[in-house]
Amino acid sequence: TEVALAPHEASFDRAKLDDLLKRRFFFEPSFAIYGPQTGLYDFGPMGAALKANLVQEWRKHFILEDQMLEVDCSCLTPEPVLKASGHLERFSDWMVKDVKSGDCFRADHLIKNSIEKLLADKKTSADLKSELQEVLARLEGFNDKDMKEVIAKYQFKSPITGNDVSEPVAFNLMFPTQIGPNGEEKAFLRPETAQGIFVNFKRLLEFNQSKLPFAAAQIGLGFRNEISPRQGLIRVREFTMCEIEYFVDPKDKSHPKFKKIARYPLTLFPAFSQSNGQPASEWRIGDAVAQGVVNSEALAYYLVRCQQFLVKVGVDPRRLRFRQHLPNEMAHYAQDCWDAEILTSYGWGECVGNADRACYDLRQHYKATGVKLIAEKPLPTPKSVEVIEAKRNMGIIGSQFKEHAKKIQDALRKLTPEQLIEVETELAANKLYNLKINDEMFPLTDTMITTKKYSKAVHVEEIEPSVIEPSYGIGRIMNAVLEHAFREREGDESRCFLALPPLIAPIKCSVLTITKNPMFESIVGLVEEELKKYEISYKVDETSTSLGKRYARTDEIGIPFGVTIDFESEQKPHTVTLSWINQTEKIDISTEPADATAMRILN
Amino acid sequence: TEVALAPHEASFDRAKLDDLLKRRFFFEPSFAIYGPQTGLYDFGPMGAALKANLVQEWRKHFILEDQMLEVDCSCLTPEPVLKASGHLERFSDWMVKDVKSGDCFRADHLIKNSIEKLLADKKTSADLKSELQEVLARLEGFNDKDMKEVIAKYQFKSPITGNDVSEPVAFNLMFPTQIGPNGEEKAFLRPETAQGIFVNFKRLLEFNQSKLPFAAAQIGLGFRNEISPRQGLIRVREFTMCEIEYFVDPKDKSHPKFKKIARYPLTLFPAFSQSNGQPASEWRIGDAVAQGVVNSEALAYYLVRCQQFLVKVGVDPRRLRFRQHLPNEMAHYAQDCWDAEILTSYGWGECVGNADRACYDLRQHYKATGVKLIAEKPLPTPKSVEVIEAKRNMGIIGSQFKEHAKKIQDALRKLTPEQLIEVETELAANKLYNLKINDEMFPLTDTMITTKKYSKAVHVEEIEPSVIEPSYGIGRIMNAVLEHAFREREGDESRCFLALPPLIAPIKCSVLTITKNPMFESIVGLVEEELKKYEISYKVDETSTSLGKRYARTDEIGIPFGVTIDFESEQKPHTVTLSWINQTEKIDISTEPADATAMRILN
């Protein structure tokens, strides 16, 4: 129904686009000569250039514009990091298995597809349909028990064999491996780039001269072992993502540039509209913040920047909306979350997540390592506070506990003030404190540890930064951009083309000679030199095919500019024809200020 | 000894550089708050920008300049691909284990270090020293037996504990994982990007309108589970590499641009010089090809392009040489191989490999998949050839062999002409051909398969392209560039700085105000707008620290250009001072053609 409301461009011939993308080698399944690999794609020259341009524009739009701190961290991630972040325990999908064939399905996909089949079936009663529609609406918030019940109640089967399916089991989506020659260290491929930023928070804060707020960003690969990859670039096992972490004082989530964008209009689909069955609608972002629909200025700022970026790289704004997560979709610690959803032939799909994750991530890594991941804010006036400290005698601890001493030292270092008060109480009462590490007990006497309380003047307040996380999936955006740029030529449906913004076009300029003729070679060379000087990608086509056909070939891969060399070009001054969209212009390549021409092509 | 011959800049205070790189967050061990991870590095804002600039310059220097076909392929690689490429069997290092502690060492490293210790020891006799030196010279070509003998003969022990070590065992350096929900598909992280290009050869050839020669390139991550990572960025477990595969007719390895570079001088260290104890020396590349020292024009072209690139990004040409592999270092199929070696504080180290791999890789994937990875060359006149073909009756094969039918079909499709002749002979003799697949036999009758011979006029010759592979390790190059750019200020050794080429400097321009004063804010804003327009990275420092100290801070991270705003800037026309190296210039930011200034900064 949402798709039905969308502009008519949304329906188009996906097969024709797929054919174009395959034929001109934008991308295709990896290792295809070995039998295609699901969920992995190789990008050919056109796809690789398009992707590189998207990423480069992202870097310019976000990192350069807002002076973000870019980092480039490891994909290989040791288990303890992902245990702390919660991925080890919770980064999984519910999976059901065909009890006979062993085929695996994502439980929610199986339910969704089964319901959709029933809804499309004329024999399904109206009562059942409305019941199923209700299930569908609640599906996003289902846990395993809910799904098990639904599968049992409606007797959903394997769509391939018709066999029964198992109960939903959690399947962790991270790819496991081991680091080191002994295989001793369990590790995973990172499922997102964000953790690399969090673990480096302290260094980044220092780099920013200890001041909040600041944004860090990372462009890199993420890996997810999807149960059933599908929909081309939408759900894949290896993908490029661009993530920002904006670290901000939780008590002051204003944004210095908010005023500049407050009147910017966005299509918002707030949680309350979704619950009430109302459609998405246009809001000025300033109003959305004022009315508490969007939780903070900072989050709102990133929504606007997101829209600006997506439209700049070619997403149709009429097929773009920001959908707020429903309360049951959000993690318990999240304050607010808005997905940029883009309408494509696969329906409305999330391409960018924009989440206020509060202080969850930094706190988790602090807990796991004992390294304080906090910022400090100067107090207007110093204040006096009570502090409690442990004094450890590592000599005695060492001689008593030998190989455990290091572990004990680590544990003592991580004791919280509350725990230290407990230590003090127990030592006072029993002259003994039983330190528990995992399942072992270490009795510490007051010769090994003592506590000391005193008051201290503090000049700064410690704050646990909140983090706002915009997270971009480049493959999904690329899919949307390609769909939205796809055109069929009226009256000649066999000739399709891509109307890509020049900014991201894989090749910026074609160089064509009016006929195949060796006398043009030196002029082609001159044009090539100029284009290289300005780092403008180009493609020379001097074949004897007709000029019209050669232009059609360049249209098909979205080359926005063309230089044509004809017999006039031979004469001095050398002139060539520069054409773009529906314009053409004669340029004298020997005298024309090349800068001006280049800037026209590049911007 | 080689290090001793090097210019004096080669010896410097590595600790001071390391301190600078850590303090200004170029890079540091990944996940440091969890206890540092060996062999993995996170790049902070300065390192990430330097790396991105190196990669971008590589793309411009190679891909754009020579119109290479860039691809972007998966890191996750199914086992069969790496079995075909030979990595599964042979991509390993010999490892020895401390028999008591289990510590692992690379056998060749253990031998090298043990020998070097003995050589440095005054008590070692002159005879033993010369014997050991000879072992050292042959070490690169040692197999496991050779190493076992040497370890036993000289009684080399674990350098940590002094315990005995085990015999050398092969340790495969690929990181294993599994793809899919059943863990059914064994896979590895790619140890190099090259295979992604080879498996896409057919598509790339098509893209190039079926013409040889052409070059494809890939920039991406490689992963190697090094036994003992060390030496900073030199030997790591996850790294960025840039690889080219130049596909060329094996009978014609000329290069269209060779003439342009024939007089270019390079420092070459040919195999015969190494064997004869002669030093590296300067050659004109044209002479080296003419004398058969470098195997082909095409390989020579890439050596020159390599030198040009390395020098452009800041490698000192006096600390750069091209070392030819010794016959026993090269794989059996390789035709020639030259490493670009750079002298750093770690000695001469390989940073780029340039290998002529003949047709090995394409042939291996052809054998494994049955997909012909060849090119076609038009023949001057058509010729008649005998061909033999199999005709399969899949209906009968299917009903006879059921679930094996698919496998049989695949195997039949892969039969070579020689095997088909065998089929013909056996069918004629016994009316039966026993097809062997792995260890199973499938008896095929002449109702299932027949062969047909006929002569055909062919207009093209099939050729198996040779491949020349330049392979760049970005981390190693980065390490060399940083070392070669490191300077201590004369008379003030505490103030170090990086003299990086502007092209790759992490930040191109600093923006400083002469004092901290709110009245400068609007001019800073104007300058920022201009810099952003030209995508020039910059850093504003308006703190109240002295201007000299702020400049020192920018020198330290290699910022080549500085804009200073002073009280004159307030007056109209607004002027600022642009300074670089030892020059300064007043610029009127309201009228100065910004293009010209920007071009000066960017080039």
Side-chain angles (χ1 to χ4, degrees):
Chain A
T1 58
E2 282 161 0
V3 177
L5 293 171
H8 73 284
E9 293 92 334
S11 68
F12 79 110
D13 195 340
R14 175 85 213 177
K16 276 191 190 159
L17 173 58
D18 283 340
D19 171 66
L20 189 165
L21 297 178
K22 192 179 168 66
R23 204 158 27 79
R24 304 304 301 267
F25 202 4
F26 277 74
F27 52 86
E28 78 164 354
S30 298
F31 313 108
I33 62 171
Y34 282 83
Q37 193 64 27
T38 49
L40 295 176
Y41 284 89
D42 285 348
F43 294 90
M46 294 301 96
L50 176 59
K51 185 176 157 192
N53 293 343
L54 274 172
V55 164
Q56 197 49 36
E57 189 52 36
W58 194 90
R59 184 177 269 132
K60 184 179 155 194
H61 182 85
F62 291 103
I63 297 180
L64 185 62
E65 177 62 32
D66 281 344
Q67 298 278 295
M68 295 177 180
L69 308 183
E70 185 174 359
V71 298
D72 183 352
C73 306
S74 296
C75 295
L76 289 164
T77 308
E79 188 177 67
V81 178
L82 294 160
K83 190 172 169 195
S85 69
H87 286 88
L88 192 61
E89 203 182 326
R90 285 189 308 273
F91 193 69
S92 48
D93 280 337
W94 295 109
M95 175 169 86
V96 292
K97 275 194 189 195
D98 183 316
V99 292
K100 286 185 189 152
S101 73
D103 294 327
C104 299
F105 308 95
R106 251 180 74 168
D108 56 341
H109 289 175
L110 180 106
I111 293 173
K112 186 160 178 270
N113 295 341
S114 306
I115 291 180
E116 281 171 353
K117 218 186 274 170
L118 283 174
L119 290 175
D121 189 341
K122 283 181 192 160
K123 286 179 287 179
T124 310
S125 73
D127 279 2
L128 181 56
K129 277 191 184 175
S130 82
E131 198 181 308
L132 289 169
Q133 230 131 18
E134 208 206 319
V135 173
L136 212 49
R138 289 185 299 120
L139 185 59
E140 284 270 20
F142 271 16
N143 61 21
D144 55 330
K145 241 178 66 188
D146 300 330
M147 290 196 273
K148 184 183 155 189
E149 276 173 23
V150 166
I151 290 171
K153 181 168 176 190
Y154 301 106
Q155 306 203 321
F156 291 149
K157 309 284 182 187
S158 159
I160 299 176
T161 61
N163 295 333
D164 282 341
V165 296
S166 70
E167 288 186 12
V169 291
F171 174 70
N172 194 298
L173 300 182
M174 294 194 296
F175 286 102
T177 189
Q178 307 93 37
I179 301 178
N182 283 317
E184 71 270 51
E185 186 163 11
K186 277 191 79 171
F188 297 91
L189 294 175
R190 66 181 178 193
E192 57 174 33
T193 69
Q195 302 307 321
I197 299 178
F198 297 133
V199 297
N200 282 301
F201 171 77
K202 220 168 121 84
R203 295 301 318 271
L204 291 166
L205 182 67
E206 270 168 43
F207 191 90
N208 203 49
Q209 292 161 323
S210 304
K211 283 194 295 255
L212 280 190
F214 71 90
Q218 182 165 201
I219 299 169
L221 292 175
F223 300 83
R224 296 181 186 178
N225 194 6
E226 294 288 349
I227 295 168
S228 45
R230 51 181 200 165
Q231 301 180 331
L233 299 181
I234 304 281
R235 191 174 301 286
V236 293
R237 286 174 170 154
E238 178 176 336
F239 48 90
T240 296
M241 60 199 309
C242 300
E243 294 192 295
I244 298 166
E245 308 296 334
Y246 182 68
F247 297 102
V248 60
D249 183 346
K251 289 187 195 135
D252 176 13
K253 292 185 185 168
S254 63
H255 193 283
K257 292 187 178 175
F258 184 71
K259 265 197 203 132
K260 283 194 197 172
I261 51 107
R263 296 178 58 78
Y264 202 91
L266 292 186
T267 302
L268 298 184
F269 196 18
F272 65 78
S273 301
Q274 296 167 57
S275 310
N276 300 342
Q278 293 162 343
S281 61
E282 194 175 291
W283 292 71
R284 282 194 194 282
I285 195 69
D287 298 340
V289 173
Q291 294 178 33
V293 173
V294 173
N295 160 292
S296 70
E297 282 189 6
L299 182 56
Y301 175 74
Y302 283 105
L303 298 186
V304 171
R305 293 292 292 158
C306 176
Q307 160 110 7
Q308 290 172 336
F309 172 75
L310 292 174
V311 172
K312 198 195 276 182
V313 300
V315 170
D316 176 359
R318 292 169 304 165
R319 287 181 259 179
L320 170 60
R321 70 180 185 193
F322 291 87
R323 190 182 69 80
Q324 189 173 35
H325 277 204
L326 297 168
N328 63 0
E329 267 179 88
M330 267 194 289
H332 62 91
Y333 49 79
Q335 305 277 304
D336 197 5
C337 187
W338 292 81
D339 288 344
E341 293 187 334
I342 307 180
L343 184 64
T344 68
S345 59
Y346 302 118
W348 285 100
E350 181 212 340
C351 292
V352 184
N354 297 279
D356 182 337
R357 300 175 56 82
C359 61
Y360 175 77
D361 308 276
L362 293 181
R363 190 180 282 175
Q364 290 296 103
H365 290 296
Y366 169 24
K367 275 195 218 158
T369 62
V371 177
K372 269 193 177 179
L373 300 178
I374 51 147
E376 291 181 340
K377 193 163 71 171
L379 285 171
T381 52
K383 71 178 183 192
S384 169
V385 293
E386 291 285 300
V387 284
I388 182 163
E389 246 174 28
K391 291 209 156 188
R392 308 176 297 260
N393 189 326
M394 285 312 298
I396 303 182
I397 292 176
S399 66
Q400 176 74 26
F401 295 108
K402 307 256 165 15
E403 74 275 18
H404 301 295
K406 171 82 175 64
K407 194 162 54 179
I408 293 171
Q409 184 174 23
D410 287 346
L412 291 178
R413 215 164 359 96
K414 285 190 212 168
L415 291 177
T416 62
E418 294 71 34
Q419 289 171 314
L420 283 169
I421 289 168
E422 205 182 304
V423 173
E424 184 183 41
T425 318
E426 296 216 10
L427 285 176
N430 319 320
K431 295 198 176 284
L432 203 70
Y433 172 71
N434 277 305
L435 177 70
K436 196 176 164 190
I437 304 178
N438 298 327
D439 288 334
E440 282 175 289
M441 282 295 198
F442 299 96
L444 305 178
T445 64
D446 57 5
T447 58
M448 299 174 188
I449 179 169
T450 53
T451 59
K452 192 180 136 191
K453 257 190 196 158
Y454 57 96
S455 65
K456 197 169 82 169
V458 295
H459 301 264
V460 292
E461 179 190 4
E462 290 191 343
I463 49 181
E464 283 189 287
S466 267
V467 66
I468 289 168
E469 178 182 279
S471 173
Y472 290 68
I474 293 300
R476 292 178 177 194
I477 294 171
M478 199 194 280
N479 174 68
V481 165
L482 286 168
E483 282 204 9
H484 294 191
F486 184 73
R487 304 277 187 279
E488 299 185 45
R489 212 171 278 281
E490 262 175 70
D492 184 2
E493 279 74 23
S494 68
R495 275 176 61 176
C496 308
F497 65 103
L498 294 173
L500 291 169
L503 201 61
I504 58 148
I507 297 177
K508 306 295 181 213
C509 191
S510 60
V511 180
L512 310 181
T513 53
I514 194 130
T515 58
K516 189 179 168 75
N517 192 323
M519 83 183 191
F520 291 134
E521 270 173 28
S522 70
I523 300 176
V524 169
L526 280 178
V527 172
E528 285 193 82
E529 284 312 308
E530 283 298 302
L531 291 167
K532 277 179 193 168
K533 199 161 91 194
Y534 292 93
E535 300 176 37
I536 295 168
S537 56
Y538 64 90
K539 192 178 170 79
V540 179
D541 190 345
E542 297 174 284
T543 56
S544 49
T545 318
S546 80
L547 195 63
K549 272 202 183 146
R550 282 182 287 153
Y551 262 118
R553 286 208 290 242
T554 71
D555 279 0
E556 206 176 44
I557 51 176
I559 302 184
F561 292 88
V563 166
T564 318
I565 294 160
D566 55 25
F567 293 100
E568 263 180 66
S569 310
E570 264 297 277
Q571 294 146 31
K572 292 219 166 171
H574 298 310
T575 55
V576 298
T577 307
L578 177 67
S579 48
W580 68 102
I581 315 177
N582 294 314
Q583 304 187 52
T584 58
E585 190 180 323
K586 279 270 175 198
I587 298 177
D588 175 352
I589 47 172
S590 36
T591 62
E592 174 81 2
D595 293 12
T597 311
M599 290 309 285
R600 196 158 50 208
I601 294 186
L602 289 173
N603 291 294
Chain B
T1 57
E2 282 160 2
V3 176
L5 293 172
H8 74 284
E9 294 92 331
S11 68
F12 79 108
D13 195 338
R14 175 84 213 179
K16 275 190 190 160
L17 173 58
D18 282 341
D19 172 65
L20 188 164
L21 296 178
K22 191 180 167 65
R23 205 158 27 79
R24 303 305 299 270
F25 203 4
F26 277 74
F27 52 86
E28 78 164 353
S30 299
F31 313 108
I33 62 172
Y34 281 83
Q37 194 63 27
T38 49
L40 296 176
Y41 285 89
D42 286 347
F43 295 90
M46 294 301 95
L50 177 59
K51 186 176 155 192
N53 293 343
L54 274 172
V55 164
Q56 197 51 36
E57 189 53 36
W58 194 91
R59 184 177 268 133
K60 185 180 154 191
H61 182 83
F62 290 103
I63 297 180
L64 185 62
E65 178 62 32
D66 281 343
Q67 298 279 296
M68 295 177 179
L69 307 185
E70 185 175 358
V71 297
D72 182 351
C73 306
S74 296
C75 295
L76 289 164
T77 308
E79 190 177 66
V81 178
L82 294 160
K83 190 172 169 197
S85 69
H87 285 88
L88 192 61
E89 204 182 325
R90 286 188 308 273
F91 194 69
S92 49
D93 280 337
W94 295 109
M95 174 170 86
V96 293
K97 275 194 189 196
D98 183 316
V99 293
K100 285 183 189 153
S101 73
D103 294 326
C104 299
F105 307 97
R106 251 180 71 166
D108 57 340
H109 289 175
L110 181 109
I111 293 174
K112 184 159 182 269
N113 295 340
S114 305
I115 290 181
E116 281 171 353
K117 220 188 272 171
L118 283 173
L119 291 175
D121 190 341
K122 284 179 193 161
K123 286 177 287 179
T124 310
S125 75
D127 280 1
L128 181 56
K129 275 192 186 175
S130 82
E131 197 180 308
L132 289 170
Q133 231 131 16
E134 207 208 318
V135 173
L136 213 48
R138 291 187 296 120
L139 185 58
E140 285 270 19
F142 272 16
N143 62 21
D144 55 331
K145 243 178 66 188
D146 301 329
M147 290 198 272
K148 185 184 156 187
E149 275 172 25
V150 166
I151 292 171
K153 178 167 180 193
Y154 301 106
Q155 305 203 324
F156 291 148
K157 309 284 183 187
S158 158
I160 300 176
T161 61
N163 295 333
D164 283 341
V165 296
S166 70
E167 289 186 11
V169 290
F171 174 70
N172 193 296
L173 299 182
M174 295 195 294
F175 286 102
T177 190
Q178 308 93 36
I179 301 178
N182 283 318
E184 71 269 51
E185 187 164 10
K186 278 191 79 172
F188 297 91
L189 294 175
R190 64 180 179 195
E192 56 173 35
T193 68
Q195 300 309 320
I197 298 178
F198 297 133
V199 297
N200 283 300
F201 171 76
K202 218 169 123 81
R203 295 302 316 270
L204 291 166
L205 182 67
E206 269 169 41
F207 191 89
N208 203 48
Q209 292 161 323
S210 304
K211 283 195 293 256
L212 279 192
F214 72 90
Q218 182 163 203
I219 300 169
L221 292 175
F223 300 84
R224 296 181 186 180
N225 194 7
E226 294 287 349
I227 294 167
S228 45
R230 53 182 198 164
Q231 301 180 329
L233 298 182
I234 305 279
R235 191 174 300 286
V236 293
R237 287 175 169 153
E238 179 177 334
F239 48 89
T240 296
M241 60 200 308
C242 301
E243 294 192 296
I244 297 167
E245 308 297 335
Y246 182 68
F247 296 102
V248 61
D249 183 345
K251 291 187 195 134
D252 175 14
K253 291 185 185 170
S254 63
H255 194 282
K257 291 186 178 177
F258 184 70
K259 266 197 202 131
K260 283 194 195 170
I261 52 107
R263 296 180 57 78
Y264 203 92
L266 293 186
T267 302
L268 298 185
F269 197 16
F272 65 78
S273 302
Q274 297 167 57
S275 310
N276 301 342
Q278 293 163 342
S281 61
E282 195 175 290
W283 291 71
R284 282 195 197 282
I285 195 70
D287 298 340
V289 173
Q291 295 178 34
V293 173
V294 173
N295 158 292
S296 70
E297 283 190 6
L299 181 56
Y301 175 75
Y302 283 106
L303 298 185
V304 171
R305 294 292 293 159
C306 175
Q307 161 108 5
Q308 290 171 335
F309 173 75
L310 293 174
V311 171
K312 196 196 276 182
V313 300
V315 171
D316 177 0
R318 293 169 305 164
R319 287 181 258 179
L320 170 60
R321 70 179 184 194
F322 290 86
R323 189 181 71 79
Q324 191 174 34
H325 277 205
L326 297 167
N328 63 358
E329 264 179 90
M330 266 193 292
H332 62 91
Y333 49 80
Q335 305 277 308
D336 196 6
C337 186
W338 292 82
D339 287 344
E341 293 187 334
I342 308 180
L343 183 64
T344 68
S345 58
Y346 301 117
W348 285 101
E350 180 213 340
C351 292
V352 184
N354 297 280
D356 181 337
R357 301 174 56 82
C359 62
Y360 175 76
D361 308 276
L362 292 182
R363 189 180 283 176
Q364 290 296 103
H365 289 297
Y366 169 22
K367 275 195 218 156
T369 62
V371 177
K372 270 193 176 179
L373 300 179
I374 51 148
E376 291 181 341
K377 197 164 67 170
L379 285 172
T381 51
K383 72 178 182 193
S384 170
V385 293
E386 292 286 296
V387 284
I388 181 162
E389 246 175 29
K391 289 210 157 190
R392 308 175 297 261
N393 188 328
M394 287 312 298
I396 301 180
I397 293 176
S399 66
Q400 177 75 23
F401 295 107
K402 305 256 164 20
E403 74 275 21
H404 300 296
K406 171 84 176 58
K407 196 163 51 180
I408 293 171
Q409 183 174 23
D410 288 345
L412 291 179
R413 212 160 5 95
K414 286 190 213 166
L415 292 178
T416 62
E418 294 73 33
Q419 290 170 315
L420 283 171
I421 288 169
E422 204 182 304
V423 173
E424 185 183 39
T425 319
E426 298 218 7
L427 283 177
N430 319 317
K431 295 200 176 281
L432 202 70
Y433 173 70
N434 275 306
L435 177 71
K436 195 175 166 192
I437 304 178
N438 298 325
D439 289 333
E440 280 175 289
M441 282 295 199
F442 299 96
L444 304 179
T445 63
D446 57 4
T447 59
M448 297 174 189
I449 179 170
T450 52
T451 58
K452 190 179 140 191
K453 257 191 196 157
Y454 57 96
S455 64
K456 197 168 83 167
V458 295
H459 302 264
V460 292
E461 177 189 8
E462 290 192 345
I463 48 181
E464 282 190 287
S466 267
V467 66
I468 289 169
E469 176 182 279
S471 172
Y472 289 70
I474 293 299
R476 292 177 177 195
I477 294 171
M478 200 193 282
N479 175 69
V481 166
L482 287 167
E483 282 203 9
H484 295 191
F486 184 73
R487 304 279 185 281
E488 300 186 44
R489 211 169 278 280
E490 262 176 68
D492 184 0
E493 279 76 22
S494 68
R495 273 176 64 176
C496 308
F497 65 102
L498 294 173
L500 291 169
L503 201 61
I504 59 147
I507 296 177
K508 306 295 180 213
C509 190
S510 61
V511 180
L512 310 180
T513 55
I514 193 132
T515 60
K516 190 179 167 73
N517 192 324
M519 84 182 190
F520 291 134
E521 271 172 28
S522 70
I523 299 175
V524 169
L526 280 177
V527 172
E528 286 192 81
E529 284 311 309
E530 283 297 303
L531 291 167
K532 276 178 194 169
K533 200 161 89 193
Y534 292 93
E535 299 177 38
I536 296 169
S537 56
Y538 64 90
K539 191 178 170 78
V540 179
D541 189 346
E542 296 174 286
T543 56
S544 49
T545 319
S546 80
L547 195 61
K549 274 204 181 142
R550 281 182 288 154
Y551 262 118
R553 285 208 292 242
T554 70
D555 279 359
E556 207 176 43
I557 51 176
I559 302 184
F561 292 88
V563 166
T564 318
I565 294 159
D566 57 22
F567 292 101
E568 262 180 66
S569 310
E570 261 299 274
Q571 293 147 29
K572 294 217 164 165
H574 298 310
T575 56
V576 298
T577 306
L578 177 68
S579 48
W580 68 104
I581 316 177
N582 294 315
Q583 305 187 53
T584 59
E585 189 180 322
K586 281 269 175 195
I587 297 176
D588 174 354
I589 46 172
S590 34
T591 62
E592 174 81 5
D595 293 13
T597 312
M599 292 309 284
R600 198 156 53 209
I601 295 187
L602 290 174
N603 290 293

